[in-house]
Structures are given as structure tokens and as C-alpha cells.
Amino acid sequence: MPYRELFQISVDQQALPLCWKTAIITPVAKKPHASENNDYRPVAIISVVMKRLEQIILHNLIQPIQEKFDIYQFAYQPNKSVQDTVLSSTHEIYQQCYARALFIDFSSAFNTIQSTLLLEKPKIL
């Protein structure tokens, strides 16, 4: 439990060591052959200790309010992705659209025709 002891000392002193707060900003290419500055995105590399502290704080902040999140909240949620958003939106759209169909059974219509009249009709013409 060395992390716990380190974190408790930091909380008790109400301060973070400078090395925990220091980050190295590294440019990472967005595409394979980056040629312009806009082809890179900045990534902050922080200490493992600070990353763990962030995870603990996030867990303790989110856990009590997790059940109050909207069911359509997909961003920053574990086990949820863009696919979930697309599928949910598509499902909602399909539920709002009403399909109307007209089925006509022509075979029943021909059953009501008197066949003798139908046969005499061509003879008249």
C-alpha cells in the first residue's frame, strides 16, 4: 500500500509534489505521414503516481452520482462508445417512424365476379 500512504501524506499536507504535477507534452501524429503542425495532437505524459491518483479521485467522484446519469449519456462512460450512440439514435428514429402498408388481395376480388358475365363480355364487343 505505498500509494495509499503517499496519497494520505499529500492529502494531510494539502499539497502535491512538483514531480507529480509535471507533464511532458509530446506531439503524436494523427496520420501516418504528418507534414504540417495540424497533423499532430499534443499528448501529456504524466507520472504513474499522478495517473493513479487521478483514477482514484475520479472513481470516488463518479461512483455516488453514476445512477443519476442520463441513459443517453455515452461520453466518458465505461463500456460505452460511439457505436452505442449511433445504435441508440437509430433505434429512437425507427420508433418514431410509422410504416404504413396497404395490402390488397386481388384473388378475393376475382372470386366475386360472375364468370358467365365475364365470358359473354368479349362476345358483345
Side-chain angles (χ1 to χ4, degrees):
M1 295 227 193
Y3 280 141
R4 182 177 180 189
E5 293 169 8
L6 283 172
F7 297 153
Q8 191 60 51
I9 291 169
S10 179
V11 169
D12 292 343
Q13 294 178 353
Q14 297 180 355
L16 290 172
L18 182 61
C19 63
W20 289 9
K21 298 188 282 185
T22 305
I24 299 170
I25 308 298
T26 305
V28 176
K30 295 179 187 177
K31 51 187 178 180
H33 303 291
S35 59
E36 299 177 13
N37 286 340
N38 287 339
D39 294 339
Y40 295 92
R41 62 183 172 93
V43 174
I45 300 174
I46 62 173
S47 72
V48 175
V49 176
M50 192 60 190
K51 187 68 175 168
R52 184 65 185 132
L53 181 59
E54 284 179 357
Q55 290 171 347
I56 291 169
I57 292 170
L58 179 66
H59 177 74
N60 287 323
L61 288 175
I62 297 254
Q63 190 177 16
I65 60 170
Q66 188 85 32
E67 69 228 16
K68 294 182 178 20
F69 283 165
D70 190 279
I71 59 170
Y72 298 113
Q73 169 72 30
F74 296 103
Y76 309 107
Q77 295 295 312
N79 304 320
K80 291 189 179 179
S81 67
V82 174
Q83 262 186 330
D84 294 316
T85 307
V86 171
L87 290 172
S88 175
S89 300
T90 306
H91 178 71
E92 287 296 318
I93 289 168
Y94 285 154
Q95 279 188 331
Q96 299 304 319
C97 295
Y98 297 102
R100 296 180 187 206
L102 176 63
F103 297 98
I104 301 173
D105 186 3
F106 286 109
S107 63
S108 299
F110 288 112
N111 290 341
T112 61
I113 296 175
Q114 296 175 2
S115 56
T116 55
L117 290 176
L118 190 59
L119 290 172
E120 289 178 12
K121 196 73 166 165
K123 292 179 186 174
I124 298 172
L125 295 175

